[in-house]
């Protein structure tokens, strides 16, 4: 379980990361803070593109930074926006979380340091896409 001290730190990191948001098309700044087992943290912001589809969300930026540094034990993530209520990660980000984190992965959806909602991944993504069969296996010919 994430501690209340870690929650405060993750929200502070998300707020700081939000300042780096590159969002000239939506004007919707998002910041995220990711906690790795052992205590290391990675920040992330949304990064948009004039061609729109290459846009990446704050949560995926933080997760991909961690994974690319070999840190795969994800414990909790915070998200903050300028909206007047806490925002949930989009479905794509939740699916990326499901790839690397357990269903107990904790999400801190923050409005500010003192106003946040705490969820587990299973609350927000009830049935992630997973396969019992190795993906990439050749289809049997009919
Ligand atoms: N966005 C995020 O960064 N995280 C989310 O979970 C939802 C949306 C970004 C993508 C885009 O830059 C902007 O918010 C508006 O959709």
């Amino acid at each position: 379980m994430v501690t209340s001290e870690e929650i405060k730190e993750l929200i502070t990191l998300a707020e700081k990361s939000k300042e780096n948001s590159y969002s000239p098309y939506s004007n919707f700044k998002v910041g995220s803070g990711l906690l790795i087992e052992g205590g290391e943290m990675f920040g992330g912001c949304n990064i948009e593109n004039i061609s729109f589809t290459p846009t990446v969300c704050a949560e995926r930026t933080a997760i991909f930074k961690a994974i690319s540094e070999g840190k795969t034990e994800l414990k909790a993530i915070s998200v903050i926006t300028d909206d007047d209520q806490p925002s949930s990660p989009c479905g794509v980000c939740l699916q990326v979380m499901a790839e690397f984190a357990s269903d107990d992965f904790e999400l801190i959806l923050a409005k500010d340091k003192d106003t946040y909602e705490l969820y587990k991944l299973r609350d927000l993504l009830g049935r992630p896409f997973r396969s019992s069969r190795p993906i990439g296996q050749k289809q049997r010919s009919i």
Side-chain angles (χ1 to χ4, degrees), residues 21-32 44-49 52 55-61 79-81 87-94 97:
S21 166
Y22 176 75
S23 43
Y25 306 105
S26 71
N27 290 312
F28 191 78
K29 291 175 188 279
V30 188
S32 182
C45 63
N46 55 332
I47 305 167
E48 299 186 343
N49 190 280
F52 288 16
T55 291
V56 65
C57 294
E59 300 90 318
R60 273 178 290 147
T61 301
V79 191
I80 197 160
T81 74
S87 285
S88 174
C90 74
V92 171
C93 288
L94 292 172
M97 290 170 201

Side-chain angles (χ1 to χ4, degrees), residues 20-79:
N20 296 325
S21 166
Y22 176 75
S23 43
Y25 306 105
S26 71
N27 290 312
F28 191 78
K29 291 175 188 279
V30 188
S32 182
L34 176 69
L35 176 65
I36 304 298
E37 294 288 351
E40 201 173 345
M41 292 185 184
F42 291 86
C45 63
N46 55 332
I47 305 167
E48 299 186 343
N49 190 280
I50 193 166
S51 180
F52 288 16
T53 46
T55 291
V56 65
C57 294
E59 300 90 318
R60 273 178 290 147
T61 301
I63 293 169
F64 293 157
K65 279 169 70 178
I67 300 299
S68 67
E69 295 293 323
K71 309 293 159 69
T72 55
E73 306 260 296
L74 314 189
K75 192 173 172 190
I77 197 164
S78 64
V79 191

Side-chain angles (χ1 to χ4, degrees), residues 75-141:
K75 192 173 172 190
I77 197 164
S78 64
V79 191
I80 197 160
T81 74
D82 293 327
D83 211 342
D84 50 18
Q85 59 185 14
S87 285
S88 174
C90 74
V92 171
C93 288
L94 292 172
Q95 181 67 37
V96 168
M97 290 170 201
E99 183 76 22
F100 297 107
S102 78
D103 291 343
D104 286 323
F105 182 66
E106 289 174 289
L107 293 100
I108 302 142
L109 312 187
K111 184 170 131 36
D112 55 55
K113 222 161 286 171
D114 304 305
T115 322
Y116 59 85
E117 297 169 10
L118 204 51
Y119 292 93
K120 297 225 168 171
L121 183 56
R122 67 161 60 78
D123 302 324
L124 301 181
L125 189 67
R127 192 162 179 219
F129 171 59
R130 289 187 176 121
S131 177
S132 58
R133 217 191 65 180
I135 300 289
Q137 203 176 53
K138 266 198 170 167
Q139 294 278 351
R140 228 176 302 128
S141 51

